[in-house]
């Protein structure tokens, strides 16, 4: 007992027992053995309790230390180091569960790096038993253990580490397993309940600490993201205020682009279409083309950052920033695009309003000419015409205003829309030159050059009538002045039209009366017969009648207006008269 009080070891007690047995007689040996056995049992119990005290103290120290570690990776490493030290094993490692996969993340005492990063399915190996069962599990010899299905990759790493005795415990938070902690010996080894409890206790502390650290990391990450978003929002609001002030001040697109360039510190351009790329972008034209051809609103290349500008679904162009793109530039272009779209819409609306106003002024001049000198000058000025110049008025049908504007007319030309027609006032002294300038596929009537509002109004009527005659004659797509109509110019004059009526009555009156009475188209028969060179068969076929019927109709013509029409000169006069009459009927009186 004195030796126990002096903290003698089990070996010292056993040596003392042997010496007493040798020195004493046989009659005392039994008593000595009994006392020695009791002393050894007491020594073992004291050693176990001391070891337990050490373990609990170490576990308590670990429990105090783990919450102070704020880095997830450092925390995991601390846990495996402590596990290896507490259990006195050769190797410890730990991993986390991600969905249906266990990933080994840290090791302590490993001979090779082969364990790190191994991914194990939760339905395989010892880890599967631990995670699915949510309870500790161990094997005295991992490499020969038949209780679970072995995995080639894991077994290769186990062989490289010479893993034999292996104990694993789950890291549980409530009913949820977030990972597993393993302790390993490189020889066969059975693990005691005390060791299992000790590693489980360490795992419990570790699970709580890991959960707290990860929650803290998530909170810090969210806080950092919130801070970043707040800064981004403040920056965005500042940009919006700046750009809005430019728009409200009427700065226009170029002023906005200049402001974006100033805010980003990079050259910035607005490009309406690929055909109008400015010289400043010539070196990166291919990149600009890529932005135009992309279906995405935002495009970043090695050389430029581009953002599409659109309004109400209509593509207006792209905003281009030159240089290496970044999130701030992308966001700035994104915020600037609506402001540029708004400015473009305002500019276009103002331009459209101005265009419509000028259109109205020109139409008013041509349809309601002023009756005073002051009014005349005012009308000319508002319409954009010069008082001292002569103008040809052109009326264009079947053509867009834009295509007419693209014609190379002389300076001072005014183009306006009036219903379905495009009106053009061209400074000129010769209508032939104006006719030659038109290259559009449209029907165009051109007046002779005139000066003064009354003459311009009359010229407008003349141009309209010329277009009407062209379309009536089936000459769509042609350009002509009144002079260019030839004999059909007669149709433009009211007096000539009255004279045409008189000639028709004198030359063809009896035929018209007879055909109205009998319903036989004698005038049409005569016109067709002359047009086909007096060929009876061809005329009958064209009219859809028998040749005998044709002869009967021609006899009726002879009877009604005489046979003089068969004379070539008279026949030509009648042919021209009937063509003019037909055109006049189509035009209406």
């Amino acid at each position: 007992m004195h030796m126990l009080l002096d903290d003698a070891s089990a070996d010292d007690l056993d040596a003392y027992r042997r010496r007493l047995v040798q020195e004493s007689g046989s009659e005392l040996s039994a008593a000595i053995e009994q006392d020695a056995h009791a002393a050894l049992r007491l020594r073992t119990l004291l050693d176990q309790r001391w070891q337990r005290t050490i373990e609990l103290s170490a576990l308590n120290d670990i429990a105090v230390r783990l919450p102070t570690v704020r880095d997830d990776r450092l925390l995991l490493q601390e846990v495996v180091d402590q596990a290896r030290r507490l259990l006195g094993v050769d190797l410890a490692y730990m991993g986390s569960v991600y969905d249906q996969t266990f990933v080994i993340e840290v090791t302590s005492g490993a001979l090779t790096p082969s364990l790190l990063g191994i991914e194990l399915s939760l339905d395989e190996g010892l880890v599967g038993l631990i995670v699915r069962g949510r309870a500790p599990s161990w094997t005295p010899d991992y490499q020969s253990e038949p209780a679970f299905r072995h995995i080639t990759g894991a077994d290769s790493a186990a062989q490289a580490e010479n893993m034999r005795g292996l104990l694993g415990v789950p890291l549980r938070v409530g009913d949820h397993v977030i990972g597993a902690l393993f302790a390993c010996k490189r020889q066969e080894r059975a693990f005691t309940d005390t060791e299992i409890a000790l590693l489980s206790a360490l795992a419990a502390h570790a699970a709580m600490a890991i959960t707290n650290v990860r929650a803290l990391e998530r909170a810090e990450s969210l806080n950092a993201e919130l801070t970043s978003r707040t800064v981004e929002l403040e920056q965005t609001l500042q940009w919006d205020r700046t750009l809005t002030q430019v728009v409200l001040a009427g700065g226009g697109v170029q002023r906005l682009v200049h402001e974006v360039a100033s805010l980003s510190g990079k050259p910035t351009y607005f490009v309406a279409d690929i055909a109008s790329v400015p010289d400043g972008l010539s070196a990166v034209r291919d990149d600009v083309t890529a932005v135009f051809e992309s279906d995405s609103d935002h495009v970043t290349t090695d050389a430029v950052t581009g953002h599409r500008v659109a309004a109400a679904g209509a593509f207006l162009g792209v905003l281009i920033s030159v240089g290496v793109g970044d999130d701030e530039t992308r966001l700035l272009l994104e915020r600037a695009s609506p402001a540029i779209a708004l400015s473009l819409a305002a500019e276009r609306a103002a331009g459209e309003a101005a265009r419509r106003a000028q259109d109205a002024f020109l139409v008013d001049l041509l349809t309601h000419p002023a009756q005073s000198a002051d009014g005349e000058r005012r009308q000319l000025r508002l319409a954009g015409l010069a008082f001292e110049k002569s103008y040809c008025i052109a009326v264009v049908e079947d053509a867009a205003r834009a295509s007419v504007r693209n014609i190379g007319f002389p300076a001072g030309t005014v183009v306006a829309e009036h219903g379905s027609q495009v009106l053009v006032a061209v400074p000129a002294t010769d209508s032939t030159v104006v006719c030659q300038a038109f290259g559009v596929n449209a029907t165009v009537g051109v007046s002779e050059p005139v000066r003064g509002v009354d003459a311009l109004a009359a010229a407008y009527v003349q141009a309209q009538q010329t277009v009407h005659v062209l379309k009536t004659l089936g000459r769509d797509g042609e350009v002509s002045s009144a002079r260019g109509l030839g004999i059909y110019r007669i149709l433009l004059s009211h007096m000539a039209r009255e004279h045409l009526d008189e000639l028709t009555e004198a030359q063809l009156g009896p035929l018209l009366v007879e055909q109205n009475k009998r319903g036989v188209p004698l005038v049409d028969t005569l016109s067709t017969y002359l047009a086909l060179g007096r060929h009876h068969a061809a005329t009958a076929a064209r009219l859809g009648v028998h040749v005998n019927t044709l002869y009967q109709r021609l006899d009726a013509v002879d009877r009604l207006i005489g046979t003089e029409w068969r004379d070539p000169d008279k026949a030509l006069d009648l042919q021209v008269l009937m063509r003019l009459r037909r055109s006049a009927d189509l035009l209406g009186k």
Side-chain angles (χ1 to χ4, degrees):
M1 294 300 293
H2 288 292
M3 292 184 70
L4 286 174
L5 292 175
D6 291 337
D7 200 23
S9 67
D11 291 339
D12 292 339
L13 290 173
D14 188 55
Y16 183 63
R17 176 190 63 79
R18 288 195 301 270
R19 184 164 59 83
L20 287 177
V21 170
Q22 291 176 356
E23 293 176 354
S24 64
S26 58
E27 65 279 2
L28 297 177
S29 61
I32 292 172
E33 289 289 349
Q34 184 177 359
D35 291 342
H37 180 69
L40 287 171
R41 287 183 58 195
L42 184 57
R43 176 73 272 170
T44 300
L45 182 59
L46 289 173
D47 288 344
Q48 289 176 347
R49 291 189 175 182
W50 178 248
Q51 179 63 30
R52 182 63 174 166
T53 301
I54 293 174
E55 292 172 350
L56 291 175
S57 177
L59 189 60
N60 184 65
D61 291 342
I62 293 170
V64 172
R65 172 171 166 70
L66 289 182
T68 66
V69 182
R70 290 290 181 261
D71 183 272
D72 184 43
R73 185 63 56 177
L74 293 178
L75 178 60
L76 296 179
Q77 189 63 55
E78 177 73 16
V79 171
V80 293
D81 289 343
Q82 294 292 353
R84 182 182 172 212
R85 182 177 64 83
L86 278 178
L87 270 69
V89 293
D90 302 313
L91 169 67
Y93 61 91
M94 185 168 65
S96 299
V97 174
Y98 300 99
D99 294 329
Q100 296 300 309
T101 303
F102 176 80
V103 181
I104 298 177
E105 296 176 311
V106 290
T107 65
S108 179
L111 300 176
T112 69
S114 57
L115 278 175
L116 289 175
I118 288 180
E119 297 184 3
L120 305 173
S121 174
L122 297 186
D123 58 359
E124 297 176 321
L126 183 62
V127 69
L129 296 177
I130 295 169
V131 174
R132 285 185 286 110
R134 293 183 292 181
S137 185
W138 63 275
T139 173
D141 187 0
Y142 172 83
Q143 298 186 35
S144 62
E145 178 61 56
F148 50 79
R149 186 157 63 93
H150 287 260
I151 310 164
T152 302
D155 282 4
S156 297
Q159 290 174 2
E161 291 291 340
N162 192 26
M163 294 170 57
R164 305 302 291 274
L166 182 62
L167 166 64
V169 296
L171 275 69
R172 294 177 53 183
V173 178
D175 292 333
H176 183 58
V177 178
I178 65 171
L181 174 62
F182 291 87
C184 173
K185 290 291 289 184
R186 292 192 171 94
Q187 61 269 352
E188 291 186 22
R189 158 83 179 271
F191 291 91
T192 66
D193 291 342
T194 300
E195 291 174 318
I196 296 172
L198 182 61
L199 192 62
S200 296
L202 177 59
H205 287 298
M208 187 59 65
I210 291 170
T211 300
N212 291 339
V213 166
R214 290 178 178 175
L216 180 61
E217 288 179 347
R218 284 195 297 271
E220 290 176 346
S221 176
L222 290 173
N223 185 57
E225 182 179 355
L226 179 60
T227 301
S228 175
R229 292 293 179 87
T230 301
V231 172
E232 182 179 291
L233 178 59
E234 291 175 350
Q235 179 67 78
T236 300
L237 291 174
Q238 180 58 44
W239 288 340
D240 287 348
R241 283 193 293 269
T242 301
L243 296 173
T244 301
Q245 289 172 358
V246 173
V247 173
L248 293 177
V253 173
Q254 292 307 314
R255 183 70 183 88
L256 282 169
V257 171
H258 176 76
E259 195 65 41
V260 172
S262 177
L263 292 171
S264 66
K266 300 175 182 178
T268 305
Y269 301 86
F270 174 73
V271 185
D273 56 75
I274 196 62
S276 59
V277 176
D279 293 339
L281 293 175
S282 58
V284 292
R285 187 180 184 89
D286 290 344
D287 296 88
V288 175
T289 301
V291 176
F292 269 94
E293 293 178 348
S294 174
D295 294 331
S296 174
D297 287 341
H298 180 80
V299 178
T300 299
T301 70
D302 293 337
V304 303
T305 299
H307 198 283
R308 293 167 65 89
V309 178
F315 174 70
L316 304 177
V318 294
L319 188 59
I320 300 290
S321 175
V322 181
V324 179
D326 51 41
D327 290 341
E328 184 172 312
T329 301
R330 178 196 60 76
L331 182 60
L332 176 57
L333 297 187
E334 181 180 320
R335 303 306 301 177
S337 292
I340 289 178
L342 178 61
S343 183
L344 282 171
E347 289 180 0
R348 292 185 178 186
E352 180 67 14
R355 182 188 67 79
R356 289 183 180 277
Q358 189 173 56
D359 288 359
F361 290 138
L362 181 61
V363 171
D364 182 63
L365 182 152
L366 297 178
T367 56
H368 301 89
Q371 300 302 309
S372 65
D374 290 341
E376 179 178 357
R377 288 182 178 276
R378 181 176 179 277
Q379 272 192 324
L380 288 169
R381 176 173 53 79
L382 291 175
L385 304 182
F387 179 79
E388 69 281 0
K389 287 186 178 181
S390 297
Y391 291 88
C392 287
I393 301 299
V395 175
V396 185
E397 288 202 355
D398 308 319
R401 177 195 186 105
S403 63
V404 176
R405 277 193 175 279
N406 291 332
I407 298 174
F409 290 122
T413 297
V414 177
V415 180
E417 284 182 338
H418 182 44
S420 62
Q421 296 178 332
V422 178
L423 310 182
V424 188
V426 186
T429 57
D430 186 354
S431 61
T432 303
V433 176
V434 177
C435 289
Q436 292 172 348
F438 278 95
V440 295
N441 184 22
T443 307
V444 184
V446 181
S447 75
E448 297 304 317
V450 296
R451 181 187 302 174
V453 294
D454 289 330
L456 287 169
Y460 168 58
V461 173
Q462 184 184 73
Q464 272 195 317
Q465 291 176 338
T466 301
V467 168
H468 200 177
V469 170
L470 289 173
K471 295 183 75 68
T472 301
L473 297 176
R475 291 165 58 179
D476 298 69
E478 290 189 18
V479 180
S480 178
S481 65
R483 285 185 302 170
L485 292 176
I487 63 170
Y488 294 102
R489 187 178 182 184
I490 191 175
L491 301 176
L492 303 181
S493 167
H494 179 70
M495 293 183 63
R497 293 275 290 276
E498 290 181 348
H499 183 56
L500 179 62
D501 291 342
E502 294 174 359
L503 285 175
T504 302
E505 180 64 27
Q507 300 292 328
L508 301 173
L511 294 182
L512 293 171
V513 172
E514 182 69 12
Q515 74 176 15
N516 289 335
K517 179 180 178 181
R518 295 174 51 195
V520 178
L522 296 177
V523 175
D524 188 42
T525 299
L526 178 59
S527 176
T528 304
Y529 179 66
L530 294 176
L532 294 178
R534 308 188 189 198
H535 193 284
H536 292 81
T539 302
R542 174 72 62 82
L543 295 173
V545 299
H546 194 273
V547 174
N548 290 337
T549 302
L550 174 62
Y551 278 113
Q552 292 173 3
R553 290 182 181 180
L554 294 177
D555 289 342
V557 172
D558 289 341
R559 177 171 52 82
L560 292 169
I561 63 174
T563 59
E564 292 84 359
W565 66 270
R566 295 181 181 273
D567 180 76
D569 291 337
K570 182 65 174 179
L572 178 60
D573 289 343
L574 286 176
Q575 195 171 359
V576 171
L577 176 62
M578 286 186 288
R579 181 175 294 180
L580 289 173
R581 179 70 264 166
R582 185 165 54 252
S583 297
D585 289 341
L586 291 173
L587 286 170
K589 295 185 179 180

